[in-house]
Amino acid sequence: MPEIEAIGGWVKDADASLDRSYRRLEQIGRLDPERLRYFEDYRSRYFNDRLMPGQGAEEILSALRDHGGRPAHWIDLGAGVTTLFWSIGLAAAPDEVSVCDLVPEALHVLEAFKDGDETPPCYREAMALAGRSEADFEALRRRPWTYHVFDCLRPWPAGPEQPGGYGLISAIGCFGLSPDAERYAEAFAAAAANLAPGGRFIGADWVRSDLLIDREGHDNRYVSPALTAACAEQAGLPTLALARIPIAGDPYYDSVMVWAFGHAG
């Protein structure tokens, strides 16, 4: 993969070459050095320094805090390198955390960061916003984590299935990578089928600007509150939160959809 600036947090140009068979991260042999550099660049570029206001992070952390419940098992779809950051929003640490991504190099960077002791400035600012302590953060950081390599925009393989379902499923910046609204709905339905009774489903979809669409060739302006609400209704999930948040001053994104669905259960 040619070296490119880490903006979108995905490797669209290499999609055709990615192995879509289900694997656990520990089963992966050789990792691509260029992809490792890409995802470490993305982590250090966007999830390291100060927390940038007005980009949707505050609303996503609030949705996780207010609607995440107290799940025994949490799975984060399309995790990339960011799961530990979003975990700050949870009111209680799950017993177990599962993360998935199609690109194993992203999960490798996430695992190395999660297993370390670095706490970047934006993490500390997120803790202050969410009312979380350093002890809360470290408690979740040290919980058992499993790393699943699969394409969560398609029907799930058997590997990550949880008996009884997951108490919390998150998809932050994930479903908006679908090529169109139909595939978005299919990905939503596949995930919702793995939700435990009384579970919560929380996510966010960044809508790309004309500049980023031209640059990366992925147009996701199909994303809308109506689309996501229809997906939740089809899955039988009541709405807990659903809002489009405008993004000002960002050349790559125009808005972010933040949503939470589920039963009080």
Side-chain angles (χ1 to χ4, degrees), residues 170-186:
S170 58
I172 300 169
C174 178
F175 294 160
L177 297 178
S178 300
D180 52 42
E182 182 178 356
R183 286 283 299 279
Y184 181 106
E186 290 174 359

Side-chain angles (χ1 to χ4, degrees), residues 150-167:
F150 71 96
D151 186 352
C152 52
L153 298 181
R154 301 184 180 206
W156 288 26
E161 288 182 351
Q162 176 66 36
Y166 287 91

Side-chain angles (χ1 to χ4, degrees), residues 46 50-58 122 125 250:
Y46 293 105
R50 302 294 301 274
L51 187 65
M52 292 183 63
Q55 305 297 300
E58 301 96 330
C122 66
E125 292 183 7
D250 189 307

